[in-house]
């Protein structure tokens, strides 16, 4: 006897008739060119793929701002790239200092402790950035070999604006620095070589505006020497950089590469190169600041003070009496705009990564956001908010 065929429900019945505008904390909308590339399957080995991989590495060097040849892709979420950075540079008894601002930076600490590292965490007070003097003291006391931190902590919308100083300081003490730039890469400056970072991680579905499931990592030359001289093999076979080297640097087989996703990321990187980093950073800054001014002009407040505020994802404190879940559901159902709640904090988050930072998306999102709060009984000044958004976009143009 066979198990019965299940009752079939078509995708059309499941998907919304009008696509949702994805303005949450990722995944973000993808350009048409990326979507097209993602529909193609080619041989994962051979000359065509070799040419594509070569270009992905060259364009990545520009986006990461590094001369290092050690760029690799990962079939997996941003977390797989985080795990690749950690498990290749950290092993049993490695001394790791994890600077923790929230959910994602703590994930790096968790990954390090799972491979048997001796992990010390430096917990940064909510809505603020690490104090350099304190970082220096911990380094001098604990003498870490590896330091992990995020550039932008998506969970509570904090940006470690002193990342360059922290990284350069850590370097003076001989530490290897791992930076999670999943939500920030290509949305704001990050200079891997100049800032002396040893591993930078990004996912596909945030700043790069590609699809989820294929991520990128860059190791410095120095980091790569550490990987080549490690005393034991990594327990993670798929994430082993020396095995990934087969595919990413020797045109041979490691595992079957996610070809469509790599083609998609190729197009996403090509769009960044065409736009140039300078214009792309300016676009993100202009859009994010205009949206922030618009939100404040509605009568709401932003969760993080300006000196620590992330622009790539905006955290908004909930108005009294409105539940974040109800707000996210309402704006999605009624206005077809998707925004994000948060892990544990009483905030909602609106993304400003890649294709999210477009004026027409901002007008629709702010309007839907304001209307939703009003629908749920909140008091806001919608015309002033919309006018401030417009003014912000003009002022910073
Ligand atoms: C989203 C995110 C991650 C995790 O990426 P996944 O693709 O969900 O695994 C890690 N770090 C930061 C800063 C992020 O924003």
């Amino acid at each position: 006897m066979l198990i019965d065929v299940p009752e079939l429900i078509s995708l059309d019945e499941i998907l919304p008739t009008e696509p949702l505008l994805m303005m949450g904390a990722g995944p973000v909308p993808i350009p048409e060119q990326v979507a097209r590339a993602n529909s193609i399957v080619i041989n994962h080995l051979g000359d065509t793929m070799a040419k594509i991989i070569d270009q992905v590495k060259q364009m990545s060097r520009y986006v990461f701002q590094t001369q290092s040849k050690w760029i690799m892709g990962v079939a997996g979420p941003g977390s797989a790239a985080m795990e690749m950075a950690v498990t290749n540079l950290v092993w049993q008894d490695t001394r790791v200092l994890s600077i923790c601002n929230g959910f994602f930076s703590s994930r790096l600490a968790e990954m390090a402790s799972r491979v048997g590292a001796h992990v010390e965490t430096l917990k940064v007070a909510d809505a603020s950035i690490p104090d350099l003097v304190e970082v220096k003291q911990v380094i001098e006391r604990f003498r870490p070999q590896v330091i992990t931190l995020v550039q932008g902590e998506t969970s509570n919308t904090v940006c470690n604006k002193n990342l360059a100083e922290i990284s350069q300081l850590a370097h003076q003490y001989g530490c290897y620095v791992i930076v999670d730039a999943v939500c920030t890469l290509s949305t704001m400056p990050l200079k891997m070589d100049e800032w002396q970072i040893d591993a930078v991680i990004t996912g596909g579905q945030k700043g790069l505006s590609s699809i989820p499931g294929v991520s990128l990592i860059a190791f410095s030359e120095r980091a790569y020497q550490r990987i080549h001289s490690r005393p034991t093999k990594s327990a993670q076979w798929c994430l082993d950089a020396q095995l990934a080297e087969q595919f990413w640097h020797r045109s041979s087989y490691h595992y079957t590469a996610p070809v469509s996703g790599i083609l998609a990321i190729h197009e996403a990187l090509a769009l960044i190169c065409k736009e140039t980093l300078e214009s792309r950073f300016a676009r993100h800054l202009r859009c994010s600041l205009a949206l922030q001014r618009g939100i404040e002009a509605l009568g709401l407040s932003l969760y993080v003070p300006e000196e620590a505020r992330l622009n790539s994802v905006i955290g908004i404190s909930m108005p009294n009496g409105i539940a974040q879940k109800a707000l996210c559901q309402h704006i999605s159902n009624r206005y077809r705009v998707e925004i994000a709640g948060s892990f544990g904090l009483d905030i909602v988050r609106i993304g400003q990564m890649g294709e999210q930072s477009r004026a027409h998306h901002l007008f629709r999102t702010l309007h839907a956001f304001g209307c939703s709060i009003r629908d749920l009984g909140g008091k806001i000044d919608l015309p002033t908010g919309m006018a401030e958004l417009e003014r912000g976009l003009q002022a910073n143009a």
Side-chain angles (χ1 to χ4, degrees):
M1 236 185 53
L2 288 171
I3 293 173
D4 291 344
V5 173
E7 188 191 334
L8 295 180
I9 304 170
S10 71
L11 265 185
D12 283 342
E13 286 174 82
I14 299 168
L15 295 173
T17 42
E18 186 190 339
L20 298 177
L21 176 59
M22 302 292 288
M23 296 297 286
V28 310
I30 55 173
E32 186 56 33
Q33 200 174 323
V34 172
R36 263 202 311 277
N38 186 47
S39 70
I40 301 168
V41 173
I42 61 168
N43 188 352
H44 71 118
L45 298 171
D47 291 346
T48 306
M49 199 62 197
K51 181 77 192 145
I52 289 160
I53 292 300
D54 191 50
Q55 296 218 117
V56 167
K57 288 189 292 186
Q58 281 186 39
M59 294 187 290
S60 296
R61 272 180 212 118
Y62 169 65
V63 175
F64 285 93
Q65 288 290 293
T66 184
Q67 311 264 16
S68 169
K69 63 182 279 210
W70 300 113
I71 309 283
M72 293 179 183
V74 195
S79 301
M82 292 161 83
E83 200 150 36
M84 188 163 177
V86 171
T87 59
N88 281 280
L89 289 169
V90 173
W91 46 84
Q92 187 72 39
D93 297 331
T94 303
R95 302 175 72 77
V96 177
L97 171 63
S98 290
I99 298 179
C100 295
N101 304 80
F103 192 76
F104 291 112
S105 35
S106 302
R107 185 176 289 179
L108 287 164
E110 166 72 14
M111 287 169 171
S113 80
R114 285 187 182 207
V115 295
H118 182 23
V119 182
E120 171 96 3
T121 56
L122 174 62
K123 290 222 182 323
V124 182
D126 197 30
S128 58
I129 63 174
D131 176 46
L132 265 188
V133 175
E134 202 181 336
V135 173
K136 188 165 189 236
Q137 282 165 356
V138 181
I139 292 177
E140 288 187 345
R141 173 172 56 75
F142 180 66
R143 294 283 165 180
Q145 294 159 290
V146 175
I147 293 191
T148 67
L149 74 164
V150 295
Q151 182 173 34
E153 177 56 77
T154 320
S155 62
N156 58 6
T157 67
V158 163
C159 178
N160 285 326
K161 296 192 181 190
N162 52 359
L163 171 61
E165 288 83 359
I166 294 173
S167 180
Q168 283 159 351
L169 173 71
H171 219 256
Q172 284 169 18
Y173 289 87
C175 304
Y176 294 84
V177 180
I178 298 176
V179 172
D180 172 344
V182 175
C183 75
T184 49
L185 195 77
S186 88
T187 74
M188 57 183 285
L190 182 145
K191 296 178 176 169
M192 180 170 167
D193 286 1
E194 194 179 309
W195 298 356
Q196 301 182 302
I197 304 172
D198 294 290
V200 177
I201 301 143
T202 197
Q205 79 277 23
K206 299 196 189 174
L208 298 186
S209 260
S210 183
I211 58 154
V214 177
S215 305
L216 292 172
I217 184 165
F219 289 109
S220 68
E221 285 290 344
R222 181 171 164 266
Y224 217 72
Q225 280 167 21
R226 176 173 169 86
I227 292 169
H228 266 284
S229 61
R230 50 180 292 154
T232 52
K233 283 184 184 170
S234 165
Q236 278 75 18
W237 188 90
C238 282
L239 301 178
D240 184 334
Q242 295 182 76
L243 297 179
E245 198 181 316
Q246 291 299 323
F247 179 76
W248 286 89
H249 295 274
R250 299 183 201 286
S251 304
S252 73
Y253 179 66
H254 173 205
Y255 53 74
T256 305
V259 283
S260 317
I262 292 175
L263 293 173
I265 230 168
H266 178 283
E267 293 304 279
L269 291 168
L271 288 169
I272 297 171
C273 291
K274 273 188 204 135
E275 185 174 12
T276 75
L277 287 176
E278 292 92 327
S279 317
R280 194 172 171 91
F281 297 154
R283 167 165 67 87
H284 279 85
L285 190 63
R286 176 169 70 246
C287 285
S288 183
L289 292 181
L291 186 56
Q292 290 172 34
R293 291 300 83 75
I295 290 163
E296 287 175 325
L298 290 177
L300 301 174
S301 43
L302 303 174
Y303 181 64
V304 176
E306 204 188 329
E307 61 275 12
R309 186 182 302 152
L310 180 63
N311 289 325
S312 320
V313 182
I314 302 169
I316 306 150
S317 301
M318 290 300 300
N320 279 340
I322 297 179
Q324 54 166 267
K325 197 164 169 209
L327 179 58
C328 292
Q329 267 169 8
H330 186 85
I331 188 171
S332 174
N333 295 338
R334 175 75 70 88
Y335 300 97
R336 323 306 291 158
V337 174
E338 197 85 351
I339 62 171
S342 121
F343 316 93
L345 297 169
D346 202 20
I347 61 173
V348 287
R349 296 172 300 157
I350 299 180
Q352 278 301 281
M353 298 174 281
E355 290 306 297
Q356 292 176 324
S357 293
R358 301 282 180 197
H360 56 293
H361 291 334
L362 301 190
F363 283 106
R364 178 168 162 198
T365 300
L366 187 66
H367 187 257
F369 184 66
C371 287
S372 296
I373 292 174
R374 204 173 52 192
D375 295 346
L376 295 173
K379 266 179 77 80
I380 45 114
D381 182 350
L382 192 51
T384 306
M386 297 308 293
E388 275 304 309
L389 170 61
E390 165 62 13
R391 213 191 316 272
L393 288 169
Q394 295 287 338
N396 302 308

